[in-house]
Amino acid sequence: MSQIELAPPVAPDWHRWRQGLFSGWTNGLVTLVTLAAILWLALPFFRWAVINAVWSGTSADCAKETAGACWAFVGAKFRFMLFAFFPPPLQWRPALVIALIAALLTISALPRFWSFRLVPVWLLALLGVWLLMAGTAGLEPVSTNHWGGLPITLAVSIAGLAFAFPIALLLALARQSDMGIVRCLAIAFIEVLRGVPMIAVLYVVMLIVPMALPSGAAVDKLLRAQIGVTLFFSAYLAEVIRAGLQVIPAGQREAALSLGLGRIQMLRLVVLPQALTAVIPAIVNLSIGIVLNTSLLAVIGIYDLLNATKTSATDPTWLGFYSEAYIFAALVYFAICFTGSRYSLWLEGKLNGSNRH
């Protein structure tokens, strides 16, 4: 006689909320104190940001004593915040770059599109980003000194992750190698890069590297910063990949070798697919960290999103609206990172579900 397994009853949402917030007098007291603190902090901010805010107008409207947040400033400086000093008539090019990166990220985020064919697609996309921003192939040239804003934040993050990945993969494999000199060099590279702050790496590529180049040779400032970001995060990514490699039981390697597979085939067909799948959520989290750390490019004079936003508040016409500028930048960063965080959770659940089947 077969048995039918019924799912356990699920309490309604309001019951779970009540249990979580008011399950006892201590829990209820903590909940009430927390709510009071939130209201005490949120109400003045709400009055400033919404009720008394100036949504349109001029800087003179925002200068009134009764005025709250000056969102008219964000509207007036919106294009500068996004594109910095890129010539206004040509700002359709960085806008197209943002759209291109967003489309490729959306496609790459879906597991059904995961294949090696994405590699040439992304390389071509990065080349297209460079051509659009630099203005070759018939477009009006624009110096990298005029690049800035959101396209720089996204392009440096994406290119940093894309170029750091193969370096990190080689470093992770080298750190597990039986060859002593290779293993020592990999360990030295990883530990040195992980032992210094990213600002120090950026200062080295900006100040030390030009002095080490031959006389007359020059490397673009943005390219040097990109190299520094790539090398810095390759060390962290190598440790993430190494963690994935350690998850794979040694028996699988031995079984693959006993079946006649070479070492490269064993890595490509057996070890790496499982190891990389296991650390995808960690890679997504590291990617979010790369996006946030691009704000450090401001210390070497590159106008990323945060630096462009801060600079917009130094306009004599709209002088001093730093709070509104930083809130705008924070919302953009939050939108990017929150999307990445939710994607990481969704992907982790999907991969766990696939593994159970």
Side-chain angles (χ1 to χ4, degrees):
M1 182 181 216
S2 61
Q3 293 182 340
I4 300 176
E5 295 185 359
L6 299 177
V10 179
D13 289 340
W14 65 268
H15 184 70
R16 283 180 288 173
W17 276 91
R18 192 184 66 178
Q19 283 296 109
L21 298 176
F22 300 100
S23 59
W25 71 269
T26 305
N27 189 14
L29 181 62
V30 171
T31 300
L32 292 176
V33 170
T34 304
L35 289 175
I38 292 175
L39 288 175
W40 181 67
L41 293 172
L43 285 179
F45 178 79
F46 183 75
R47 280 196 295 270
W48 174 80
V50 178
I51 297 176
N52 298 329
V54 178
W55 298 92
S56 62
T58 64
S59 58
D61 299 323
C62 297
K64 297 176 182 176
E65 291 186 2
T66 57
C70 182
W71 303 123
F73 158 77
V74 175
K77 307 301 292 184
F78 182 74
R79 295 180 67 170
F80 183 85
M81 292 177 182
L82 287 185
F83 308 123
F85 296 102
F86 210 89
L90 306 177
Q91 286 179 354
W92 63 270
R93 283 155 49 178
L96 186 58
V97 165
I98 294 175
L100 176 64
I101 292 176
L104 283 173
L105 284 175
T106 303
I107 293 173
S108 303
L110 301 176
R112 65 174 179 270
F113 292 114
W114 290 354
S115 71
F116 284 103
R117 282 175 292 186
L118 278 177
V119 176
V121 171
W122 269 106
L123 291 177
L124 290 174
L126 291 175
L127 178 62
V129 167
W130 179 269
L131 294 177
L132 277 172
M133 295 293 287
T136 54
L139 297 176
E140 182 178 341
V142 177
S143 168
T144 56
N145 293 328
H146 294 91
W147 298 10
L150 187 57
I152 286 294
T153 296
L154 294 177
V156 170
S157 304
I158 298 298
L161 183 63
F163 293 120
F165 189 82
I167 299 173
L169 183 58
L170 293 176
L171 287 171
L173 293 174
R175 188 158 186 172
Q176 292 192 326
S177 172
D178 295 331
M179 294 182 284
I181 185 65
V182 173
R183 186 173 64 254
C184 290
L185 288 174
I187 292 174
F189 179 88
I190 292 171
E191 297 304 328
V192 168
L193 267 296
R194 293 179 69 207
V196 297
M198 184 173 161
I199 289 179
V201 176
L202 292 176
Y203 276 126
V204 167
V205 298
M206 295 305 297
L207 302 177
I208 307 300
V209 170
M211 291 189 291
L213 294 175
S215 178
V219 179
D220 186 82
K221 178 175 70 174
L222 183 60
L223 182 57
R224 277 180 278 149
Q226 182 67 73
I227 293 172
V229 171
T230 301
L231 294 178
F232 184 79
F233 282 103
S234 67
Y236 285 88
L237 189 55
E239 288 299 276
V240 172
I241 295 175
R242 187 170 70 91
L245 292 174
Q246 291 178 336
V247 170
I248 308 304
Q252 291 200 20
R253 293 183 173 87
E254 295 168 359
L257 294 174
S258 67
L259 290 174
L261 297 180
R263 287 191 175 276
I264 295 178
Q265 287 180 309
M266 179 264 292
L267 286 172
R268 184 170 63 87
L269 300 176
V270 178
V271 176
L272 287 180
Q274 299 181 78
L276 295 179
T277 302
V279 296
I280 281 175
I283 293 175
V284 174
N285 287 333
L286 184 63
S287 305
I288 294 173
I290 296 176
V291 174
L292 294 178
N293 278 283
T294 54
S295 60
L296 296 175
L297 294 174
V299 301
I300 56 174
I302 293 178
Y303 286 86
D304 70 309
L305 174 65
L306 184 62
N307 200 15
T309 304
K310 184 181 70 175
T311 305
S312 66
T314 61
D315 186 336
T317 306
W318 297 92
L319 190 62
F321 296 104
Y322 289 100
S323 299
E324 291 84 349
Y326 284 124
I327 288 175
F328 172 78
L331 290 176
V332 175
Y333 279 110
F334 178 78
I336 296 172
C337 297
F338 184 72
T339 303
S341 175
R342 300 307 301 177
Y343 169 70
S344 177
L345 290 175
W346 171 80
L347 185 61
E348 190 173 1
K350 185 176 181 62
L351 293 178
N352 288 337
S354 300
N355 291 335
R356 282 196 297 270
H357 289 84

